mmCIF file with all atom_site columns, all heavy atoms in Angstrom:
data_model
loop_
_atom_site.group_PDB
_atom_site.id
_atom_site.type_symbol
_atom_site.label_atom_id
_atom_site.label_alt_id
_atom_site.label_comp_id
_atom_site.label_asym_id
_atom_site.label_entity_id
_atom_site.label_seq_id
_atom_site.pdbx_PDB_ins_code
_atom_site.Cartn_x
_atom_site.Cartn_y
_atom_site.Cartn_z
_atom_site.occupancy
_atom_site.B_iso_or_equiv
_atom_site.pdbx_formal_charge
_atom_site.auth_seq_id
_atom_site.auth_comp_id
_atom_site.auth_asym_id
_atom_site.auth_atom_id
_atom_site.pdbx_PDB_model_num
ATOM 1   N N   . ASN A 1 725 ? 32.954 -18.576 -0.179  1.00 0.00 ? 1153 ASN A N   1
ATOM 2   C CA  . ASN A 1 725 ? 33.212 -17.231 -0.682  1.00 0.00 ? 1153 ASN A CA  1
ATOM 3   C C   . ASN A 1 725 ? 33.576 -17.254 -2.159  1.00 0.00 ? 1153 ASN A C   1
ATOM 4   O O   . ASN A 1 725 ? 33.123 -16.425 -2.944  1.00 0.00 ? 1153 ASN A O   1
ATOM 5   C CB  . ASN A 1 725 ? 34.351 -16.590 0.118   1.00 0.00 ? 1153 ASN A CB  1
ATOM 6   C CG  . ASN A 1 725 ? 33.870 -16.064 1.444   1.00 0.00 ? 1153 ASN A CG  1
ATOM 7   O OD1 . ASN A 1 725 ? 32.677 -16.175 1.746   1.00 0.00 ? 1153 ASN A OD1 1
ATOM 8   N ND2 . ASN A 1 725 ? 34.756 -15.536 2.237   1.00 0.00 ? 1153 ASN A ND2 1
ATOM 9   N N   . LEU A 1 726 ? 34.415 -18.211 -2.512  1.00 0.00 ? 1154 LEU A N   1
ATOM 10  C CA  . LEU A 1 726 ? 34.896 -18.265 -3.891  1.00 0.00 ? 1154 LEU A CA  1
ATOM 11  C C   . LEU A 1 726 ? 33.740 -18.536 -4.849  1.00 0.00 ? 1154 LEU A C   1
ATOM 12  O O   . LEU A 1 726 ? 33.640 -17.921 -5.916  1.00 0.00 ? 1154 LEU A O   1
ATOM 13  C CB  . LEU A 1 726 ? 35.935 -19.380 -3.996  1.00 0.00 ? 1154 LEU A CB  1
ATOM 14  C CG  . LEU A 1 726 ? 37.028 -19.199 -5.030  1.00 0.00 ? 1154 LEU A CG  1
ATOM 15  C CD1 . LEU A 1 726 ? 37.719 -17.871 -4.857  1.00 0.00 ? 1154 LEU A CD1 1
ATOM 16  C CD2 . LEU A 1 726 ? 38.039 -20.332 -4.884  1.00 0.00 ? 1154 LEU A CD2 1
ATOM 17  N N   . ALA A 1 728 ? 30.701 -17.766 -4.359  1.00 0.00 ? 1156 ALA A N   1
ATOM 18  C CA  . ALA A 1 728 ? 29.840 -16.592 -4.396  1.00 0.00 ? 1156 ALA A CA  1
ATOM 19  C C   . ALA A 1 728 ? 30.340 -15.591 -5.421  1.00 0.00 ? 1156 ALA A C   1
ATOM 20  O O   . ALA A 1 728 ? 29.555 -14.897 -6.064  1.00 0.00 ? 1156 ALA A O   1
ATOM 21  C CB  . ALA A 1 728 ? 29.770 -15.952 -3.010  1.00 0.00 ? 1156 ALA A CB  1
ATOM 22  N N   . VAL A 1 729 ? 31.656 -15.537 -5.596  1.00 0.00 ? 1157 VAL A N   1
ATOM 23  C CA  . VAL A 1 729 ? 32.229 -14.548 -6.503  1.00 0.00 ? 1157 VAL A CA  1
ATOM 24  C C   . VAL A 1 729 ? 31.717 -14.741 -7.926  1.00 0.00 ? 1157 VAL A C   1
ATOM 25  O O   . VAL A 1 729 ? 31.520 -13.789 -8.658  1.00 0.00 ? 1157 VAL A O   1
ATOM 26  C CB  . VAL A 1 729 ? 33.770 -14.643 -6.459  1.00 0.00 ? 1157 VAL A CB  1
ATOM 27  C CG1 . VAL A 1 729 ? 34.390 -13.825 -7.572  1.00 0.00 ? 1157 VAL A CG1 1
ATOM 28  C CG2 . VAL A 1 729 ? 34.280 -14.182 -5.124  1.00 0.00 ? 1157 VAL A CG2 1
ATOM 29  N N   . LEU A 1 737 ? 24.247 -15.766 -4.933  1.00 0.00 ? 1165 LEU A N   1
ATOM 30  C CA  . LEU A 1 737 ? 25.458 -15.168 -4.389  1.00 0.00 ? 1165 LEU A CA  1
ATOM 31  C C   . LEU A 1 737 ? 25.348 -15.067 -2.871  1.00 0.00 ? 1165 LEU A C   1
ATOM 32  O O   . LEU A 1 737 ? 26.251 -15.477 -2.135  1.00 0.00 ? 1165 LEU A O   1
ATOM 33  C CB  . LEU A 1 737 ? 25.629 -13.783 -5.012  1.00 0.00 ? 1165 LEU A CB  1
ATOM 34  C CG  . LEU A 1 737 ? 26.872 -12.971 -4.653  1.00 0.00 ? 1165 LEU A CG  1
ATOM 35  C CD1 . LEU A 1 737 ? 27.199 -12.030 -5.783  1.00 0.00 ? 1165 LEU A CD1 1
ATOM 36  C CD2 . LEU A 1 737 ? 26.689 -12.173 -3.392  1.00 0.00 ? 1165 LEU A CD2 1
ATOM 37  N N   . SER A 1 741 ? 27.440 -16.977 -0.006  1.00 0.00 ? 1169 SER A N   1
ATOM 38  C CA  . SER A 1 741 ? 28.066 -16.188 1.048   1.00 0.00 ? 1169 SER A CA  1
ATOM 39  C C   . SER A 1 741 ? 27.689 -16.737 2.420   1.00 0.00 ? 1169 SER A C   1
ATOM 40  O O   . SER A 1 741 ? 28.509 -16.764 3.336   1.00 0.00 ? 1169 SER A O   1
ATOM 41  C CB  . SER A 1 741 ? 27.651 -14.735 0.888   1.00 0.00 ? 1169 SER A CB  1
ATOM 42  O OG  . SER A 1 741 ? 27.506 -14.126 2.125   1.00 0.00 ? 1169 SER A OG  1
ATOM 43  N N   . GLN A 1 745 ? 30.061 -17.720 5.470   1.00 0.00 ? 1173 GLN A N   1
ATOM 44  C CA  . GLN A 1 745 ? 29.901 -17.162 6.821   1.00 0.00 ? 1173 GLN A CA  1
ATOM 45  C C   . GLN A 1 745 ? 29.732 -18.251 7.857   1.00 0.00 ? 1173 GLN A C   1
ATOM 46  O O   . GLN A 1 745 ? 30.261 -18.161 8.968   1.00 0.00 ? 1173 GLN A O   1
ATOM 47  C CB  . GLN A 1 745 ? 28.692 -16.234 6.847   1.00 0.00 ? 1173 GLN A CB  1
ATOM 48  C CG  . GLN A 1 745 ? 28.831 -15.021 5.967   1.00 0.00 ? 1173 GLN A CG  1
ATOM 49  C CD  . GLN A 1 745 ? 29.680 -13.973 6.606   1.00 0.00 ? 1173 GLN A CD  1
ATOM 50  O OE1 . GLN A 1 745 ? 29.600 -13.764 7.805   1.00 0.00 ? 1173 GLN A OE1 1
ATOM 51  N NE2 . GLN A 1 745 ? 30.517 -13.331 5.839   1.00 0.00 ? 1173 GLN A NE2 1
ATOM 52  N N   . TYR A 1 748 ? 32.989 -19.528 8.847   1.00 0.00 ? 1176 TYR A N   1
ATOM 53  C CA  . TYR A 1 748 ? 33.635 -18.721 9.886   1.00 0.00 ? 1176 TYR A CA  1
ATOM 54  C C   . TYR A 1 748 ? 33.113 -19.098 11.278  1.00 0.00 ? 1176 TYR A C   1
ATOM 55  O O   . TYR A 1 748 ? 33.875 -19.283 12.216  1.00 0.00 ? 1176 TYR A O   1
ATOM 56  C CB  . TYR A 1 748 ? 33.372 -17.236 9.651   1.00 0.00 ? 1176 TYR A CB  1
ATOM 57  C CG  . TYR A 1 748 ? 34.358 -16.574 8.730   1.00 0.00 ? 1176 TYR A CG  1
ATOM 58  C CD1 . TYR A 1 748 ? 34.095 -16.444 7.379   1.00 0.00 ? 1176 TYR A CD1 1
ATOM 59  C CD2 . TYR A 1 748 ? 35.548 -16.068 9.223   1.00 0.00 ? 1176 TYR A CD2 1
ATOM 60  C CE1 . TYR A 1 748 ? 34.998 -15.835 6.534   1.00 0.00 ? 1176 TYR A CE1 1
ATOM 61  C CE2 . TYR A 1 748 ? 36.450 -15.452 8.386   1.00 0.00 ? 1176 TYR A CE2 1
ATOM 62  C CZ  . TYR A 1 748 ? 36.169 -15.339 7.044   1.00 0.00 ? 1176 TYR A CZ  1
ATOM 63  O OH  . TYR A 1 748 ? 37.074 -14.731 6.218   1.00 0.00 ? 1176 TYR A OH  1
ATOM 64  N N   . ILE A 1 815 ? 26.783 -4.745  3.217   1.00 0.00 ? 1243 ILE A N   1
ATOM 65  C CA  . ILE A 1 815 ? 28.065 -5.240  2.703   1.00 0.00 ? 1243 ILE A CA  1
ATOM 66  C C   . ILE A 1 815 ? 29.228 -4.704  3.514   1.00 0.00 ? 1243 ILE A C   1
ATOM 67  O O   . ILE A 1 815 ? 30.228 -5.393  3.683   1.00 0.00 ? 1243 ILE A O   1
ATOM 68  C CB  . ILE A 1 815 ? 28.256 -4.928  1.206   1.00 0.00 ? 1243 ILE A CB  1
ATOM 69  C CG1 . ILE A 1 815 ? 28.419 -3.450  0.977   1.00 0.00 ? 1243 ILE A CG1 1
ATOM 70  C CG2 . ILE A 1 815 ? 27.150 -5.497  0.366   1.00 0.00 ? 1243 ILE A CG2 1
ATOM 71  C CD1 . ILE A 1 815 ? 29.048 -3.189  -0.371  1.00 0.00 ? 1243 ILE A CD1 1
ATOM 72  N N   . VAL A 1 818 ? 29.251 -7.106  6.376   1.00 0.00 ? 1246 VAL A N   1
ATOM 73  C CA  . VAL A 1 818 ? 29.726 -8.450  6.034   1.00 0.00 ? 1246 VAL A CA  1
ATOM 74  C C   . VAL A 1 818 ? 31.233 -8.439  5.833   1.00 0.00 ? 1246 VAL A C   1
ATOM 75  O O   . VAL A 1 818 ? 31.941 -9.343  6.254   1.00 0.00 ? 1246 VAL A O   1
ATOM 76  C CB  . VAL A 1 818 ? 29.053 -8.969  4.746   1.00 0.00 ? 1246 VAL A CB  1
ATOM 77  C CG1 . VAL A 1 818 ? 29.584 -10.341 4.407   1.00 0.00 ? 1246 VAL A CG1 1
ATOM 78  C CG2 . VAL A 1 818 ? 27.561 -9.035  4.917   1.00 0.00 ? 1246 VAL A CG2 1
ATOM 79  N N   . SER A 1 819 ? 31.728 -7.385  5.191   1.00 0.00 ? 1247 SER A N   1
ATOM 80  C CA  . SER A 1 819 ? 33.139 -7.417  4.850   1.00 0.00 ? 1247 SER A CA  1
ATOM 81  C C   . SER A 1 819 ? 34.021 -7.173  6.063   1.00 0.00 ? 1247 SER A C   1
ATOM 82  O O   . SER A 1 819 ? 35.223 -7.370  5.984   1.00 0.00 ? 1247 SER A O   1
ATOM 83  C CB  . SER A 1 819 ? 33.427 -6.365  3.778   1.00 0.00 ? 1247 SER A CB  1
ATOM 84  O OG  . SER A 1 819 ? 33.060 -5.101  4.260   1.00 0.00 ? 1247 SER A OG  1
ATOM 85  N N   . GLY A 1 820 ? 33.426 -6.777  7.162   1.00 0.00 ? 1248 GLY A N   1
ATOM 86  C CA  . GLY A 1 820 ? 34.225 -6.610  8.375   1.00 0.00 ? 1248 GLY A CA  1
ATOM 87  C C   . GLY A 1 820 ? 34.978 -5.304  8.436   1.00 0.00 ? 1248 GLY A C   1
ATOM 88  O O   . GLY A 1 820 ? 35.883 -5.138  9.241   1.00 0.00 ? 1248 GLY A O   1
ATOM 89  N N   . ARG A 1 830 ? 35.785 -9.853  13.210  1.00 0.00 ? 1258 ARG A N   1
ATOM 90  C CA  . ARG A 1 830 ? 37.159 -10.037 12.758  1.00 0.00 ? 1258 ARG A CA  1
ATOM 91  C C   . ARG A 1 830 ? 38.145 -9.837  13.902  1.00 0.00 ? 1258 ARG A C   1
ATOM 92  O O   . ARG A 1 830 ? 39.135 -10.558 14.034  1.00 0.00 ? 1258 ARG A O   1
ATOM 93  C CB  . ARG A 1 830 ? 37.468 -9.062  11.629  1.00 0.00 ? 1258 ARG A CB  1
ATOM 94  C CG  . ARG A 1 830 ? 36.622 -9.224  10.402  1.00 0.00 ? 1258 ARG A CG  1
ATOM 95  C CD  . ARG A 1 830 ? 36.700 -10.633 9.877   1.00 0.00 ? 1258 ARG A CD  1
ATOM 96  N NE  . ARG A 1 830 ? 36.229 -10.773 8.517   1.00 0.00 ? 1258 ARG A NE  1
ATOM 97  C CZ  . ARG A 1 830 ? 34.949 -10.771 8.153   1.00 0.00 ? 1258 ARG A CZ  1
ATOM 98  N NH1 . ARG A 1 830 ? 34.020 -10.635 9.066   1.00 0.00 ? 1258 ARG A NH1 1
ATOM 99  N NH2 . ARG A 1 830 ? 34.599 -10.902 6.903   1.00 0.00 ? 1258 ARG A NH2 1
ATOM 100 N N   . LEU A 1 851 ? 42.901 -16.433 3.407   1.00 0.00 ? 1279 LEU A N   1
ATOM 101 C CA  . LEU A 1 851 ? 42.671 -16.324 1.967   1.00 0.00 ? 1279 LEU A CA  1
ATOM 102 C C   . LEU A 1 851 ? 41.195 -16.036 1.693   1.00 0.00 ? 1279 LEU A C   1
ATOM 103 O O   . LEU A 1 851 ? 40.848 -15.257 0.805   1.00 0.00 ? 1279 LEU A O   1
ATOM 104 C CB  . LEU A 1 851 ? 43.104 -17.618 1.278   1.00 0.00 ? 1279 LEU A CB  1
ATOM 105 C CG  . LEU A 1 851 ? 42.880 -17.697 -0.228  1.00 0.00 ? 1279 LEU A CG  1
ATOM 106 C CD1 . LEU A 1 851 ? 43.624 -16.579 -0.920  1.00 0.00 ? 1279 LEU A CD1 1
ATOM 107 C CD2 . LEU A 1 851 ? 43.365 -19.035 -0.767  1.00 0.00 ? 1279 LEU A CD2 1
ATOM 108 N N   . ALA A 1 852 ? 40.335 -16.650 2.510   1.00 0.00 ? 1280 ALA A N   1
ATOM 109 C CA  . ALA A 1 852 ? 38.897 -16.485 2.291   1.00 0.00 ? 1280 ALA A CA  1
ATOM 110 C C   . ALA A 1 852 ? 38.453 -15.054 2.569   1.00 0.00 ? 1280 ALA A C   1
ATOM 111 O O   . ALA A 1 852 ? 37.561 -14.542 1.904   1.00 0.00 ? 1280 ALA A O   1
ATOM 112 C CB  . ALA A 1 852 ? 38.127 -17.460 3.176   1.00 0.00 ? 1280 ALA A CB  1
ATOM 113 N N   . GLY A 1 853 ? 39.091 -14.429 3.556   1.00 0.00 ? 1281 GLY A N   1
ATOM 114 C CA  . GLY A 1 853 ? 38.618 -13.121 4.010   1.00 0.00 ? 1281 GLY A CA  1
ATOM 115 C C   . GLY A 1 853 ? 38.411 -12.103 2.903   1.00 0.00 ? 1281 GLY A C   1
ATOM 116 O O   . GLY A 1 853 ? 37.286 -11.664 2.649   1.00 0.00 ? 1281 GLY A O   1
ATOM 117 N N   . PRO A 1 854 ? 39.482 -11.723 2.204   1.00 0.00 ? 1282 PRO A N   1
ATOM 118 C CA  . PRO A 1 854 ? 39.321 -10.641 1.212   1.00 0.00 ? 1282 PRO A CA  1
ATOM 119 C C   . PRO A 1 854 ? 38.417 -11.024 0.042   1.00 0.00 ? 1282 PRO A C   1
ATOM 120 O O   . PRO A 1 854 ? 37.916 -10.149 -0.642  1.00 0.00 ? 1282 PRO A O   1
ATOM 121 C CB  . PRO A 1 854 ? 40.746 -10.397 0.718   1.00 0.00 ? 1282 PRO A CB  1
ATOM 122 C CG  . PRO A 1 854 ? 41.645 -11.093 1.666   1.00 0.00 ? 1282 PRO A CG  1
ATOM 123 C CD  . PRO A 1 854 ? 40.864 -12.176 2.297   1.00 0.00 ? 1282 PRO A CD  1
ATOM 124 N N   . ILE A 1 855 ? 38.243 -12.321 -0.179  1.00 0.00 ? 1283 ILE A N   1
ATOM 125 C CA  . ILE A 1 855 ? 37.404 -12.723 -1.310  1.00 0.00 ? 1283 ILE A CA  1
ATOM 126 C C   . ILE A 1 855 ? 35.987 -12.195 -1.118  1.00 0.00 ? 1283 ILE A C   1
ATOM 127 O O   . ILE A 1 855 ? 35.276 -11.920 -2.084  1.00 0.00 ? 1283 ILE A O   1
ATOM 128 C CB  . ILE A 1 855 ? 37.426 -14.254 -1.461  1.00 0.00 ? 1283 ILE A CB  1
ATOM 129 C CG1 . ILE A 1 855 ? 38.833 -14.704 -1.824  1.00 0.00 ? 1283 ILE A CG1 1
ATOM 130 C CG2 . ILE A 1 855 ? 36.471 -14.711 -2.537  1.00 0.00 ? 1283 ILE A CG2 1
ATOM 131 C CD1 . ILE A 1 855 ? 38.995 -16.178 -1.929  1.00 0.00 ? 1283 ILE A CD1 1
ATOM 132 N N   . ALA A 1 856 ? 35.604 -12.031 0.145   1.00 0.00 ? 1284 ALA A N   1
ATOM 133 C CA  . ALA A 1 856 ? 34.270 -11.506 0.423   1.00 0.00 ? 1284 ALA A CA  1
ATOM 134 C C   . ALA A 1 856 ? 34.070 -10.155 -0.267  1.00 0.00 ? 1284 ALA A C   1
ATOM 135 O O   . ALA A 1 856 ? 32.983 -9.860  -0.752  1.00 0.00 ? 1284 ALA A O   1
ATOM 136 C CB  . ALA A 1 856 ? 34.052 -11.384 1.921   1.00 0.00 ? 1284 ALA A CB  1
ATOM 137 N N   . PHE A 1 857 ? 35.150 -9.353  -0.334  1.00 0.00 ? 1285 PHE A N   1
ATOM 138 C CA  . PHE A 1 857 ? 34.998 -8.044  -0.972  1.00 0.00 ? 1285 PHE A CA  1
ATOM 139 C C   . PHE A 1 857 ? 34.516 -8.181  -2.407  1.00 0.00 ? 1285 PHE A C   1
ATOM 140 O O   . PHE A 1 857 ? 33.758 -7.389  -2.909  1.00 0.00 ? 1285 PHE A O   1
ATOM 141 C CB  . PHE A 1 857 ? 36.338 -7.305  -0.986  1.00 0.00 ? 1285 PHE A CB  1
ATOM 142 C CG  . PHE A 1 857 ? 36.728 -6.771  0.341   1.00 0.00 ? 1285 PHE A CG  1
ATOM 143 C CD1 . PHE A 1 857 ? 37.691 -7.398  1.092   1.00 0.00 ? 1285 PHE A CD1 1
ATOM 144 C CD2 . PHE A 1 857 ? 36.113 -5.651  0.844   1.00 0.00 ? 1285 PHE A CD2 1
ATOM 145 C CE1 . PHE A 1 857 ? 38.034 -6.911  2.327   1.00 0.00 ? 1285 PHE A CE1 1
ATOM 146 C CE2 . PHE A 1 857 ? 36.450 -5.155  2.079   1.00 0.00 ? 1285 PHE A CE2 1
ATOM 147 C CZ  . PHE A 1 857 ? 37.419 -5.798  2.831   1.00 0.00 ? 1285 PHE A CZ  1
ATOM 148 N N   . LEU A 1 858 ? 35.028 -9.210  -3.045  1.00 0.00 ? 1286 LEU A N   1
ATOM 149 C CA  . LEU A 1 858 ? 34.728 -9.369  -4.461  1.00 0.00 ? 1286 LEU A CA  1
ATOM 150 C C   . LEU A 1 858 ? 33.227 -9.517  -4.675  1.00 0.00 ? 1286 LEU A C   1
ATOM 151 O O   . LEU A 1 858 ? 32.610 -8.772  -5.432  1.00 0.00 ? 1286 LEU A O   1
ATOM 152 C CB  . LEU A 1 858 ? 35.468 -10.588 -5.029  1.00 0.00 ? 1286 LEU A CB  1
ATOM 153 C CG  . LEU A 1 858 ? 36.850 -10.306 -5.598  1.00 0.00 ? 1286 LEU A CG  1
ATOM 154 C CD1 . LEU A 1 858 ? 37.787 -9.835  -4.523  1.00 0.00 ? 1286 LEU A CD1 1
ATOM 155 C CD2 . LEU A 1 858 ? 37.405 -11.545 -6.263  1.00 0.00 ? 1286 LEU A CD2 1
ATOM 156 N N   . TYR A 1 859 ? 32.655 -10.500 -3.971  1.00 0.00 ? 1287 TYR A N   1
ATOM 157 C CA  . TYR A 1 859 ? 31.246 -10.714 -4.266  1.00 0.00 ? 1287 TYR A CA  1
ATOM 158 C C   . TYR A 1 859 ? 30.371 -9.618  -3.682  1.00 0.00 ? 1287 TYR A C   1
ATOM 159 O O   . TYR A 1 859 ? 29.322 -9.303  -4.229  1.00 0.00 ? 1287 TYR A O   1
ATOM 160 C CB  . TYR A 1 859 ? 30.787 -12.119 -3.860  1.00 0.00 ? 1287 TYR A CB  1
ATOM 161 C CG  . TYR A 1 859 ? 30.763 -12.441 -2.386  1.00 0.00 ? 1287 TYR A CG  1
ATOM 162 C CD1 . TYR A 1 859 ? 29.777 -11.928 -1.561  1.00 0.00 ? 1287 TYR A CD1 1
ATOM 163 C CD2 . TYR A 1 859 ? 31.691 -13.302 -1.843  1.00 0.00 ? 1287 TYR A CD2 1
ATOM 164 C CE1 . TYR A 1 859 ? 29.744 -12.247 -0.229  1.00 0.00 ? 1287 TYR A CE1 1
ATOM 165 C CE2 . TYR A 1 859 ? 31.648 -13.647 -0.507  1.00 0.00 ? 1287 TYR A CE2 1
ATOM 166 C CZ  . TYR A 1 859 ? 30.685 -13.111 0.297   1.00 0.00 ? 1287 TYR A CZ  1
ATOM 167 O OH  . TYR A 1 859 ? 30.656 -13.425 1.615   1.00 0.00 ? 1287 TYR A OH  1
ATOM 168 N N   . LEU A 1 860 ? 30.823 -9.021  -2.577  1.00 0.00 ? 1288 LEU A N   1
ATOM 169 C CA  . LEU A 1 860 ? 30.007 -7.962  -1.993  1.00 0.00 ? 1288 LEU A CA  1
ATOM 170 C C   . LEU A 1 860 ? 29.977 -6.751  -2.910  1.00 0.00 ? 1288 LEU A C   1
ATOM 171 O O   . LEU A 1 860 ? 28.920 -6.157  -3.142  1.00 0.00 ? 1288 LEU A O   1
ATOM 172 C CB  . LEU A 1 860 ? 30.558 -7.571  -0.630  1.00 0.00 ? 1288 LEU A CB  1
ATOM 173 C CG  . LEU A 1 860 ? 30.382 -8.656  0.418   1.00 0.00 ? 1288 LEU A CG  1
ATOM 174 C CD1 . LEU A 1 860 ? 31.136 -8.294  1.674   1.00 0.00 ? 1288 LEU A CD1 1
ATOM 175 C CD2 . LEU A 1 860 ? 28.905 -8.842  0.718   1.00 0.00 ? 1288 LEU A CD2 1
ATOM 176 N N   . PHE A 1 861 ? 31.150 -6.411  -3.437  1.00 0.00 ? 1289 PHE A N   1
ATOM 177 C CA  . PHE A 1 861 ? 31.153 -5.257  -4.330  1.00 0.00 ? 1289 PHE A CA  1
ATOM 178 C C   . PHE A 1 861 ? 30.287 -5.548  -5.550  1.00 0.00 ? 1289 PHE A C   1
ATOM 179 O O   . PHE A 1 861 ? 29.516 -4.705  -6.005  1.00 0.00 ? 1289 PHE A O   1
ATOM 180 C CB  . PHE A 1 861 ? 32.572 -4.909  -4.771  1.00 0.00 ? 1289 PHE A CB  1
ATOM 181 C CG  . PHE A 1 861 ? 32.567 -3.773  -5.741  1.00 0.00 ? 1289 PHE A CG  1
ATOM 182 C CD1 . PHE A 1 861 ? 32.351 -2.485  -5.290  1.00 0.00 ? 1289 PHE A CD1 1
ATOM 183 C CD2 . PHE A 1 861 ? 32.682 -3.985  -7.098  1.00 0.00 ? 1289 PHE A CD2 1
ATOM 184 C CE1 . PHE A 1 861 ? 32.281 -1.441  -6.177  1.00 0.00 ? 1289 PHE A CE1 1
ATOM 185 C CE2 . PHE A 1 861 ? 32.608 -2.941  -7.997  1.00 0.00 ? 1289 PHE A CE2 1
ATOM 186 C CZ  . PHE A 1 861 ? 32.409 -1.658  -7.526  1.00 0.00 ? 1289 PHE A CZ  1
ATOM 187 N N   . ARG A 1 862 ? 30.452 -6.745  -6.054  1.00 0.00 ? 1290 ARG A N   1
ATOM 188 C CA  . ARG A 1 862 ? 29.694 -7.094  -7.240  1.00 0.00 ? 1290 ARG A CA  1
ATOM 189 C C   . ARG A 1 862 ? 28.193 -6.978  -6.965  1.00 0.00 ? 1290 ARG A C   1
ATOM 190 O O   . ARG A 1 862 ? 27.414 -6.493  -7.782  1.00 0.00 ? 1290 ARG A O   1
ATOM 191 C CB  . ARG A 1 862 ? 30.029 -8.521  -7.610  1.00 0.00 ? 1290 ARG A CB  1
ATOM 192 C CG  . ARG A 1 862 ? 29.303 -8.919  -8.826  1.00 0.00 ? 1290 ARG A CG  1
ATOM 193 C CD  . ARG A 1 862 ? 29.706 -10.285 -9.213  1.00 0.00 ? 1290 ARG A CD  1
ATOM 194 N NE  . ARG A 1 862 ? 29.232 -10.497 -10.555 1.00 0.00 ? 1290 ARG A NE  1
ATOM 195 C CZ  . ARG A 1 862 ? 29.291 -11.629 -11.192 1.00 0.00 ? 1290 ARG A CZ  1
ATOM 196 N NH1 . ARG A 1 862 ? 29.830 -12.646 -10.625 1.00 0.00 ? 1290 ARG A NH1 1
ATOM 197 N NH2 . ARG A 1 862 ? 28.819 -11.735 -12.389 1.00 0.00 ? 1290 ARG A NH2 1
ATOM 198 N N   . LEU C 2 137 ? 40.168 -5.444  -7.037  1.00 0.00 ? 832  LEU C N   1
ATOM 199 C CA  . LEU C 2 137 ? 39.691 -6.330  -5.975  1.00 0.00 ? 832  LEU C CA  1
ATOM 200 C C   . LEU C 2 137 ? 40.278 -7.724  -6.150  1.00 0.00 ? 832  LEU C C   1
ATOM 201 O O   . LEU C 2 137 ? 40.685 -8.362  -5.185  1.00 0.00 ? 832  LEU C O   1
ATOM 202 C CB  . LEU C 2 137 ? 38.162 -6.393  -5.994  1.00 0.00 ? 832  LEU C CB  1
ATOM 203 C CG  . LEU C 2 137 ? 37.454 -5.153  -5.469  1.00 0.00 ? 832  LEU C CG  1
ATOM 204 C CD1 . LEU C 2 137 ? 35.952 -5.275  -5.631  1.00 0.00 ? 832  LEU C CD1 1
ATOM 205 C CD2 . LEU C 2 137 ? 37.770 -4.933  -4.000  1.00 0.00 ? 832  LEU C CD2 1
ATOM 206 N N   . THR C 2 141 ? 42.859 -9.585  -3.207  1.00 0.00 ? 836  THR C N   1
ATOM 207 C CA  . THR C 2 141 ? 42.608 -10.813 -2.437  1.00 0.00 ? 836  THR C CA  1
ATOM 208 C C   . THR C 2 141 ? 43.888 -11.613 -2.279  1.00 0.00 ? 836  THR C C   1
ATOM 209 O O   . THR C 2 141 ? 44.130 -12.205 -1.235  1.00 0.00 ? 836  THR C O   1
ATOM 210 C CB  . THR C 2 141 ? 41.584 -11.709 -3.140  1.00 0.00 ? 836  THR C CB  1
ATOM 211 O OG1 . THR C 2 141 ? 42.014 -11.951 -4.456  1.00 0.00 ? 836  THR C OG1 1
ATOM 212 C CG2 . THR C 2 141 ? 40.217 -11.082 -3.136  1.00 0.00 ? 836  THR C CG2 1
#
Side-chain angles (χ1 to χ4, degrees):
Chain A
N1153 281 359
L1154 210 53
V1157 169
L1165 183 153
S1169 145
Q1173 296 281 321
Y1176 273 95
I1243 68 161
V1246 179
S1247 59
R1258 299 305 196 284
L1279 178 59
I1283 295 177
F1285 286 104
L1286 270 64
Y1287 67 74
L1288 291 171
F1289 177 75
R1290 181 177 194 187
Chain C
L832 286 176
T836 54

